[in-house]
Amino acid sequence: MSNEAIPATGNIASYIDHTLLKPEASEAEILKVCAEAAEYHFKSVCVNPVWVKTVKTALKGSGVLTCSVVGFPLGAIPTDVKTFEARGAVLDGADEVDMVINIAAARAGDKGALVEDIASVAEAVHASGAILKVIIETSLLSDDQKVLACQASVEAGADFVKTSTGFNGGGATAEDIALMRRTVGPDLGVKASGGVRSLADAQAMIAAGATRIGASSGIAIVKGEQGSSGY
């Protein structure tokens, strides 16, 4: 991607999933994030499933999407449970769902298990017209395992691949984004999340091939400041 295509402060908000996934987040904090997203015109607000209805109502008419997470943050639950969780999230109003893969399967090189897990969730999400992003948790995988997880996501019909939950150490790097983009090709979305705290961070990820940024420092990013949050 050329420098001319890298968004500046004025339009980078449209790349950002404004995120609050702390388990202790209160309703007041969730509503504050929604108000910020509406003010700054972020792409979505990303929250845990318990808050989807609240967010959907708060964002009504704002043009900001509602995003939720599934199998979060470990991914180590049965596929049918992830699928049930995803179906519930979209029924509650989620426009997008970010699921965590079976990380052990990726580390074991079991592509078939990955495809089965992702495809089941994808079917549930797409049945309601929602978008599926697949979190591969790059900090726990080798490059070969990252490639395998991305290939499985493509085969399973995912709409995006995503770097990280932000809960297992590490985070997005430009190198991982570039590897993921090379693997999935030009058409699938690539989301950088975990440690993206400044405009420069976000621009570097987009230059490497990201089409979405997950961050709790979205306001700092659009203001050209340095955020302090870990996600």
Side-chain angles (χ1 to χ4, degrees), residues 10-220:
N11 58 355
I12 201 160
S14 64
Y15 284 76
I16 294 174
D17 291 344
H18 198 36
T19 303
L20 180 54
L21 293 167
K22 296 187 300 182
E24 72 273 22
S26 67
E27 182 176 17
E29 290 172 318
I30 295 291
L31 292 174
K32 180 174 182 287
V33 165
C34 291
E36 291 168 349
E39 177 182 355
Y40 288 94
H41 306 291
F42 292 129
K43 183 68 174 183
S44 81
V45 168
C46 187
V47 294
N48 284 301
V50 69
W51 295 115
V52 169
K53 288 182 179 179
T54 300
V55 169
K56 189 71 171 182
T57 299
L59 292 176
K60 186 176 181 180
S62 69
V64 180
L65 301 176
T66 299
C67 177
S68 190
V69 291
V70 164
F72 194 88
L74 302 179
I77 59 175
T79 297
D80 58 350
V81 178
K82 289 184 188 178
T83 304
F84 180 83
E85 190 177 12
R87 190 175 295 115
V90 294
L91 285 173
D92 282 347
D95 303 295
E96 301 186 339
V97 169
D98 292 16
M99 72 168 283
V100 186
I101 62 165
N102 181 336
I103 297 165
R107 287 171 63 98
D110 191 345
K111 187 179 182 182
L114 290 172
V115 171
E116 181 181 354
D117 191 47
I118 299 164
S120 180
V121 177
E123 183 178 358
V125 170
H126 292 155
S128 296
I131 293 296
L132 178 65
K133 308 191 202 88
V134 176
I135 306 170
I136 67 170
E137 201 66 289
T138 50
S139 64
L140 300 181
L141 304 180
S142 69
D143 282 357
D144 286 346
Q145 292 161 354
K146 294 167 194 174
V147 168
L148 183 76
C150 288
Q151 290 172 338
S153 299
V154 172
E155 289 187 25
D159 303 289
F160 276 76
V161 289
K162 173 180 170 181
T163 57
S164 317
T165 62
F167 282 74
N168 282 306
T173 66
E175 292 77 17
D176 280 341
I177 292 296
L179 176 64
M180 293 163 72
R181 172 54 68 201
R182 288 196 302 271
T183 303
V184 302
D187 298 326
L188 216 71
V190 177
K191 178 174 172 179
S193 61
V196 183
R197 302 187 186 101
S198 68
L199 177 61
D201 289 343
Q203 289 174 326
M205 298 303 166
I206 293 166
T211 51
R212 194 77 67 89
I213 303 292
S216 52
S217 298
I219 293 174

